[in-house]
Every structure is written in structure tokens, then in C-alpha cells.
Amino acid sequence: MTTDETRLLRRRMHAQFGPAGPHEAPSAGPHEAPSGGPRGPGRSGRVAAVAGRAAGVQAQDAAAARLGLRARGVDAAAEVDAAYRSGEVVASWLMRGTLHLVPAGDLPWLLRLFGARNLAAGAGRRRQLGLTDEICEQAVALLPEVLAAPLGRADLIAALIGRGVEVDPSGQAPAHLVAYAAARGLLCRGAEVAPREPGYVLRPGPPPGPPEPPGPPEEADLAALAVRYLAAFGPAGAADLAAWSGLPLTACRRAVAAAGLPEVAPGLFAGPGAEPPSGGPDGGPESGPESGPVVRLLGAYDNYLLGYRDRTVMLDPAFARRINAGGGVVRPALVADGRVLGRWAAERSRGTVTVLVEPFGPIPGPVREGLRAEVAAVGRFLEVAAELRIARP
């Protein structure tokens, strides 16, 4: 690996996981994010602040989302549940049409960017499932009455059927109907209503108007998105933002230009404070002989592995299939100083968790020490005893 690649990875690790203010949402710089929502730890809880600094955490797998927040500074899984219950954070279908956990105050402007796009993208599948526009709008009109209290999806669909909405509860139609209502800005995911059963709640605020076709994104919203993305993922470029967000490359070029952030390498931009503390002769590494490598156990579908157009520098193509297993699956990964060194799984039994690491090759001694510390941190996060097992490469 070249010196430039090493420095790039360490800067990205610092942006994702570094100690420089992980519990603070980033400033939107010259273009303040137009949500009017909470911004710093004094006005929002830690989970909301970490989610904001991460530009949202992919959340179709609730356990993996918790691990993503842990790797970025949240101390306990119970904090995440409490943040959902308090309404500090919500989950909705946003970037790439995928469920993301975000600060509640950011949802309005994110829906302006992604709501109409996601509605249009799902229209064909809704028609295949018999979800006509009339049926979808009938359901949307009934939601304020139905969601007087949080409901799981099955109960929500049953309540709508009981009020005359024609939807097949046995297939994929319920999921697409809920996603439609979320893209319309009516509901979002909140706290679980039962173990592993997410609850749906009305989104705070006035009811939205009629659905509109997707149009050109507003400059201020694009700038806010680019500022958040580059603070969380930089150094990165417009093509990376397009891969992460699902927005057209032309819009992402506009977004990066509107953000007004410095170009730190050809075609790559980063937010303020992106440079890690100097720990070595090249002035860039965050780790060094005294501090050791930066090691993280990342959950499935982690932002770090989904945020860039090209992951070659992070993940050796020879081992890519062991992380990207096909069918959209992204497995939990062991990362040290920006490089993916293996995958892992957690096996829980009788109040303990065993972290089984399957490395791609021999694990260097300093990384092994960092891995032991990470396993202990995972145990504290889950409030169980944790032990490490390392398989042979």
C-alpha cells in the first residue's frame, strides 16, 4: 500500500470513528442544514448527535445499526432504545431507498431530497402488488386515526384492512405500503413495540400535501447533504456521494460544489478537522507505536463499507466475497487503520457473547491487542460478558 493510500484510509477512519468530537453533530458550515432540529450534544442526546455526525446509520438490521452507533461513540445499546422512545432519532427510507436511522430534526430536509425519488422508484413494484395510488392514499389518510399509539407492521396493516383498505397482508405489499407512507412523510420507525418488532409512529409536524413527482433538489438541501457526507466519509468525491446517496452524479457534483469544503486531494473533499492528529513522520496517521492501530468491529451493512464508489483500497478484492456475500449482504467486518482484515460473528448464550473472528491472514500483535479491547467494548455495549475466539486464516 502506498503512503497516499495509507494516509487516505487513516483520514477516513478518523472521520468515521475518530476521537475528535464523535458525540457532536457536524456544523453545516456555510450552508446550515435547513431542518431547524437539534445540532449539538447540549440540545440532543448522544445517539442523535452520533447519527448526525455519521450522516445517518443504515438501519434495515436493527442490531447492526446499534453496532454501527457503538463503533462511533455510543456506549450502550440501551441508549439507542431510549433515543427511539424519546423521539430523538427515527428511521425512514432515505439514501438509496434504504432504511436509515437519523436525528429526528433532519428528517424533513432529507425527505425533500429522497421522498419523491423513492416514491417514483417504487411505483412499478407497488402496481405489481396491487397497491394502486388510490389504495395508498386511502391508507395515508387513515394513518392519523390508526397510529394513535405505536404499532408493529402487522397490527398497523390489520388496522388499515379493518377500515377498508384493500391490501394483501401475506406478501410484500405491507412493506411497500409502509415505505410509501414513510416517503410521503406520514410515518417513520420508532421504538420497538416487542423484542425485534419495530414500531411505527406518526412523524411529528403538519401533514404533508399531495404527492409530487421528483424534481431538481434545492441547492441548500444538496449542500447540507454534502457537508454531512464529507464530514462523515471524507476525503471523498462526488462519485462517492452518488454511490452512497443514490442521487444522480450531476446532482452530487452540484452538492459538493455548493458545500464549499476544501479539496484535500485531486477530486477529494473533506470537512473541517478531517486531518487526524499527527502520529508519525508523514503527519497523517492517527496511530503510532505508542497509541497502536485504530481497530473497530463493524456490524453488518456498516457505513464504512457502503459509503464509497470504490472500496478496493479498503478491502482487498481477493477477499471481497467474504464480506460482500452477494444479494446485497454485507457482513460484519474487522477493520484496522482502515483496512478490512477479516469478518466476525457474535454467538450469544446464557448472558455471554462469543466474538468469533475469521481473519483473512495472520493478525499482527498490535491489532490483536486492539481487537481484545474492541471485544470488551462490544460486551459492555451489550451488557454481557464477552470473549474472543480467532479462527485460523
Side-chain angles (χ1 to χ4, degrees):
M1 185 180 297
T2 68
T3 300
D4 286 346
E5 288 174 334
T6 298
R7 189 178 185 199
L8 172 66
L9 289 183
R10 288 177 176 172
R11 292 187 75 171
R12 286 179 173 176
M13 283 289 283
H14 177 72
Q16 289 273 320
F17 313 108
H23 299 157
E24 298 182 11
S27 166
H31 300 275
E32 183 67 27
S35 70
R39 279 290 175 269
R43 293 174 60 191
S44 65
R46 178 182 299 187
V47 175
V50 172
R53 186 176 186 265
V57 174
Q58 190 149 328
Q60 79 268 39
D61 182 321
R66 291 186 181 95
L67 289 172
L69 291 162
R70 182 212 68 83
R72 292 163 175 82
V74 174
D75 293 331
E79 288 186 55
V80 185
D81 300 330
Y84 267 127
R85 288 194 300 271
S86 70
E88 292 173 6
V89 298
V90 294
S92 192
W93 287 265
L94 299 166
M95 288 71 76
R96 305 183 309 283
T98 305
L99 199 67
H100 279 76
L101 182 155
V102 298
D106 286 341
L107 191 55
W109 64 271
L110 287 170
L111 283 174
R112 287 200 298 269
L113 282 169
F114 297 106
R117 284 186 60 83
N118 292 340
L119 281 178
R125 183 59 178 144
R126 289 195 299 274
R127 285 193 295 271
Q128 292 173 355
L129 295 168
L131 294 173
T132 65
D133 291 345
E134 292 75 19
I135 289 174
C136 290
E137 285 302 301
Q138 180 190 9
V140 162
L142 288 168
L143 284 176
E145 172 188 339
V146 168
L147 280 177
L151 291 176
R153 190 170 72 193
D155 288 339
L156 171 59
I157 296 301
L160 290 172
I161 292 172
R163 287 163 174 79
V165 179
E166 296 181 1
V167 53
D168 179 1
S170 63
Q172 294 184 359
H176 284 266
L177 182 58
V178 168
Y180 178 92
R184 290 276 281 106
L186 259 294
L187 58 71
C188 51
R189 271 195 185 182
E192 292 183 343
V193 294
R196 300 187 179 183
E197 175 63 28
Y200 292 91
V201 297
L202 291 175
R203 185 175 72 83
E212 298 180 0
E218 295 182 10
E219 208 74 5
D221 292 337
L222 282 175
L225 184 73
V227 167
R228 286 293 179 94
Y229 171 79
L230 292 170
F233 292 88
D240 298 307
L241 175 57
W244 171 78
S245 67
L247 293 174
L249 180 57
T250 53
C252 291
R253 287 173 177 154
R254 285 173 50 209
V256 170
L261 296 177
E263 188 174 18
V264 297
L268 299 179
F269 302 81
E275 186 71 46
S278 177
D282 67 356
E286 187 176 1
S287 60
E290 294 182 1
S291 62
V294 179
V295 179
R296 290 292 184 272
L297 286 170
L298 306 182
Y301 309 101
D302 191 83
N303 283 20
Y304 185 66
L305 290 170
L306 292 169
Y308 306 97
R309 180 182 62 84
D310 185 354
R311 291 177 286 208
T312 302
V313 70
M314 303 148 63
L315 175 59
D316 187 331
F319 302 112
R321 294 290 293 179
R322 296 179 66 179
I323 297 294
N324 300 112
V329 175
V330 181
R331 298 186 187 279
L334 163 64
V335 176
D337 281 345
R339 289 282 284 178
V340 180
L341 301 185
R343 67 186 189 187
W344 67 281
E347 300 174 355
R348 298 188 66 162
S349 176
R350 296 182 181 180
T352 65
V353 61
T354 299
V355 174
L356 174 61
V357 174
E358 300 177 20
F360 300 153
I363 299 179
V367 174
R368 192 176 290 252
E369 289 302 311
L371 177 56
R372 291 192 183 99
E374 269 290 275
V375 169
V378 169
R380 289 193 298 272
F381 180 80
L382 299 174
E383 297 183 328
V384 296
E387 62 179 34
L388 170 64
R389 287 173 50 202
I390 302 176
R392 290 186 178 182

